[in-house]
């Protein structure tokens, strides 16, 4: 039993990390686990969340009163030359204690607190917008990986087909029924496809690394092959008018711009309040020897004489407010334009896929079968057969590209909405 103890201890130490490693190893096949993983680990999103939390903590200090001030004034520390200098309050001529509290002009504290609240709201929306951006990039990279894996598979299938065509051409050449050029053409075509396969593998490696980077994982960490693409929403759910209204109500960038605009309005109002003085109220007891014999009340206020400086600050506040208005208007127009473009692209990709799947691809396959039968009987030359094979490959690639393009555009729409459809 004692001999088994080290093994049990080691197993207990390793066990907590096993589920995490199993979860990491299972990543890649589906999109939702990737998004859930990134939401808790993406450093860029975590940084903006921390900044939003920091902005929220500035609200209370912004509306608080300044700390009171306390001072001690030792008077006549030599008692008119009767003694050596002393710092003992009971031995000086008198000691004055001062407690002073600064109080801003009416409404300034509320305005500062409101500005801080709006800045915190803008920081939260920037964090939400960053997550929408990160999630959109994950969705796009997932779709691109799906495309590259399927393209590799299609290329290998076409390579196998060309291998069979080469054997057919070789058999016909051996029987004197075809020219040697047919065999060479098949070999050249295969070499070209192998070159494309290398390019696809390189692009897949790059997409793999980009996706791992978004997940805050090492670039060479394993990812499973994407199993499927997300289903597209029905056309009725992609109505521009409804989605444009939804984007105006939920887009994180528009929310952040709106918060910045309102903060600029409050800042301008606060700047104009600086025309009025701030106050300070205090009380000062005066000690003679060991007893308090006098009390003083103090009222201070700053005199706003530097009018040129204040007018410059007011003009600055007006300019910042105008900039915030223009920025929000530009963002609203940009969101509407990008939304319309992405919705149009989704519809075009959907129609292209339907056309390819329902018409062009079956026609290309029939053409290839007819060309293959014709070549075997000597009625069709090898160039026609290769061209028919290329048409099948092009139709399948375009079908796959249309599927992936639609999902990439869907990710763009969801980024603009700040939420999934």
């Amino acid at each position: 039993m004692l001999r088994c103890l080290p093994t049990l201890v080691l197993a207990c130490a390793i066990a907590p990390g096993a589920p995490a490693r199993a979860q990491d190893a299972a990543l890649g096949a589906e999109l939702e686990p990737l998004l859930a993983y990134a939401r808790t680990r993406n450093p860029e999103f975590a940084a903006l969340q921390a900044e939003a939390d920091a902005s929220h903590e500035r609200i209370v200090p912004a509306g608080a009163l300044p700390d009171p001030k306390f001072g001690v004034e030792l008077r006549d520390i030599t008692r008119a030359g009767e003694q050596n200098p002393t710092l003992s309050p009971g031995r000086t001529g008198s000691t004055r204690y001062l407690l002073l509290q600064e109080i801003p002009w009416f409404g300034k504290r509320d305005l500062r607190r409101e500005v801080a609240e709006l800045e915190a709201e803008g920081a939260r929306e920037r964090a939400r917008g960053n997550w929408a951006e990160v999630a959109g990039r994950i969705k796009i990279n997932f779709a691109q990986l799906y495309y590259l894996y399927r393209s590799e598979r299609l290329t290998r299938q076409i390579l196998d087909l060309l291998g069979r065509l080469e054997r057919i051409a070789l058999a016909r050449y051996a029987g004197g029924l075809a020219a040697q050029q047919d065999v060479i053409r098949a070999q050249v075509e295969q070499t070209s496809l192998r070159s494309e396969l290398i390019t696809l593998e390189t692009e897949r490696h790059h997409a793999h690394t980009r996706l791992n980077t978004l997940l805050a994982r090492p670039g060479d960490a394993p990812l499973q092959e994407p199993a499927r693409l997300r289903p597209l929403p029905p056309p009725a759910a992609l109505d521009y008018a409804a989605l444009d209204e939804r984007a105006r109500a939920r887009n994180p960038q528009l929310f952040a711009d709106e918060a910045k605009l309102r903060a600029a309005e409050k800042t301008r109002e606060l700047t104009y309040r600086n025309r009025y003085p701030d106050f300070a109220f205090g009380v000062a007891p005066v000690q003679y020897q060991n007893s308090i014999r006098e009390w003083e009340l103090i009222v201070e206020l700053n005199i706003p004489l530097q009018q040129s400086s204040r007018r410059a600050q007011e003009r600055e506040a007006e300019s910042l407010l105008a900039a915030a208005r223009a920025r929000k208007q530009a963002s609203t127009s940009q969101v509407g334009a990008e939304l319309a473009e992405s919705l149009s692209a989704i519809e075009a990709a959907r129609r292209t896929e339907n056309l390819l799947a329902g018409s062009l691809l079956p026609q290309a396959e029939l053409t290839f079968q007819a060309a293959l039968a014709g070549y075997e009987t000597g009625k069709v030359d090898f160039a026609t057969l290769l061209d028919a094979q290329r048409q099948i490959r092009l139709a399948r690639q375009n079908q796959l590209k249309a599927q992936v393009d639609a999902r990439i555009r869907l990710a763009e729409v969801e980024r603009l909405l700040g939420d999934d459809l």
Side-chain angles (χ1 to χ4, degrees):
M1 180 66 183
L2 292 175
R3 288 195 299 270
C4 297
L5 186 58
T7 303
L8 292 174
V9 172
L10 180 62
C12 292
I14 294 175
R21 288 196 297 272
Q23 180 188 12
D24 286 1
L27 286 174
E30 302 290 342
L31 177 61
E32 292 304 323
L34 290 173
L35 294 174
Y37 188 95
R39 192 173 187 91
T40 58
R41 292 170 174 84
N42 182 270
E44 186 179 356
F45 177 55
L48 285 174
Q49 278 188 310
E51 289 178 0
D53 293 340
S55 295
H56 180 74
E57 297 302 328
R58 296 190 191 111
I59 296 175
V60 173
L65 284 171
D67 289 333
K69 297 178 181 180
F70 175 75
V72 177
E73 182 181 347
L74 300 175
R75 299 173 174 176
D76 193 11
I77 60 175
T78 63
R79 300 287 293 269
E82 296 178 358
Q83 63 183 26
N84 293 326
T86 180
L87 299 179
S88 173
R91 296 178 58 198
T92 61
S94 63
T95 302
R96 182 173 179 263
Y97 302 94
L98 173 64
L99 182 64
L100 196 67
Q101 175 65 61
E102 296 180 0
I103 299 179
W105 184 261
F106 305 104
K108 284 187 178 181
R109 290 171 55 206
D110 292 337
L111 285 171
R112 288 170 183 159
R113 184 177 61 251
E114 289 171 3
V115 169
E117 288 172 349
L118 291 169
E119 289 176 348
E121 182 180 340
R124 286 195 302 271
E125 291 304 321
R126 284 192 294 274
R128 192 166 71 89
N130 175 262
W131 170 246
E133 182 72 28
V134 170
R137 282 187 280 167
I138 291 174
K139 294 171 184 176
I140 290 172
N141 277 277
F142 180 84
Q144 289 173 340
L145 267 179
Y146 178 90
Y147 172 78
L148 293 168
Y149 270 109
R150 295 306 187 276
S151 294
E152 282 187 52
R153 187 177 301 172
L154 174 60
T155 302
R156 296 184 189 280
Q157 291 173 354
I158 298 299
L159 268 174
D160 291 340
L161 175 61
L162 282 171
R164 293 196 299 271
L165 294 182
E166 181 189 359
R167 289 191 291 273
I168 293 173
L170 190 59
R172 287 179 56 78
Y173 169 67
L177 301 176
Q180 186 181 13
Q181 187 68 24
D182 292 353
V183 180
I184 297 174
R185 284 181 178 177
Q187 294 172 347
V188 170
E189 195 77 12
Q190 290 178 75
T191 303
S192 177
L193 284 181
R194 290 191 183 98
S195 176
E196 291 186 20
L197 197 58
I198 294 173
T199 301
L200 288 172
E201 290 172 350
T202 303
E203 291 178 359
R204 174 168 58 83
H205 173 270
H206 295 341
H208 185 115
T209 302
R210 288 195 300 269
L211 187 54
N212 269 327
T213 301
L214 291 169
L215 301 176
R217 303 172 76 215
D220 59 349
L223 283 172
Q224 293 188 358
E225 178 181 346
R228 64 185 65 84
L229 292 173
R230 292 188 299 160
L232 288 176
L238 298 176
D239 177 67
Y240 172 75
L243 291 182
D244 183 60
E245 182 178 354
R246 182 174 169 183
R248 291 173 184 268
R250 294 187 56 82
N251 180 271
Q253 182 61 48
L254 297 184
F255 260 88
D257 287 346
E258 174 64 21
K260 193 168 185 178
L261 172 60
R262 290 161 55 200
E265 292 174 343
K266 296 295 182 180
T267 301
R268 179 188 62 175
E269 186 176 350
L270 177 61
T271 303
Y272 279 102
R273 290 283 178 97
N274 287 334
R275 294 181 175 185
Y276 303 100
D278 296 331
F279 293 89
F281 297 93
V283 60
V286 181
Q287 174 183 346
Y288 290 91
Q289 297 182 354
N290 295 321
S291 61
I292 302 295
R293 298 182 184 179
E294 295 179 4
W295 288 86
E296 300 175 356
L297 293 178
I298 301 166
V299 177
E300 294 182 357
L301 62 119
N302 66 310
I303 302 174
L305 291 179
Q306 303 298 329
Q307 293 301 313
S308 60
S309 173
R310 283 177 173 77
R311 296 301 179 268
Q313 292 174 353
E314 291 165 5
R315 290 192 296 271
E316 177 191 9
E318 293 286 358
S319 297
L320 290 174
L321 177 57
R325 285 174 178 155
R327 187 174 293 110
K328 184 190 175 187
Q329 183 178 1
S331 298
T332 303
S333 300
Q334 183 69 22
V335 167
E338 291 181 5
L339 180 62
E341 180 181 342
S342 295
L343 291 177
S344 176
I346 291 175
E347 180 60 24
R350 195 199 302 268
R351 292 169 59 189
T352 299
E353 181 186 357
N354 292 337
L355 178 63
L356 290 167
S359 178
L360 187 57
L361 187 56
Q363 291 171 357
E365 290 174 348
L366 289 174
T367 301
F368 174 75
Q369 295 299 328
L372 179 60
Y375 178 72
E376 290 175 339
T377 59
K379 296 179 179 179
V380 173
D381 60 11
F382 195 71
T384 302
L385 180 60
L386 284 181
D387 185 64
Q389 169 267 321
R390 292 191 190 102
Q391 292 300 320
I392 289 181
R393 181 187 173 211
L394 183 61
R396 289 177 180 172
Q397 282 183 328
N398 287 339
Q399 182 185 23
L400 179 61
K401 187 175 183 298
Q403 293 172 350
V404 172
D405 284 348
R407 272 66 180 187
I408 290 175
R409 290 296 188 167
L410 177 62
E412 292 291 338
V413 170
E414 291 176 338
R415 178 185 64 82
L416 294 171
L417 297 178
D419 198 3
D420 291 344
L421 282 172

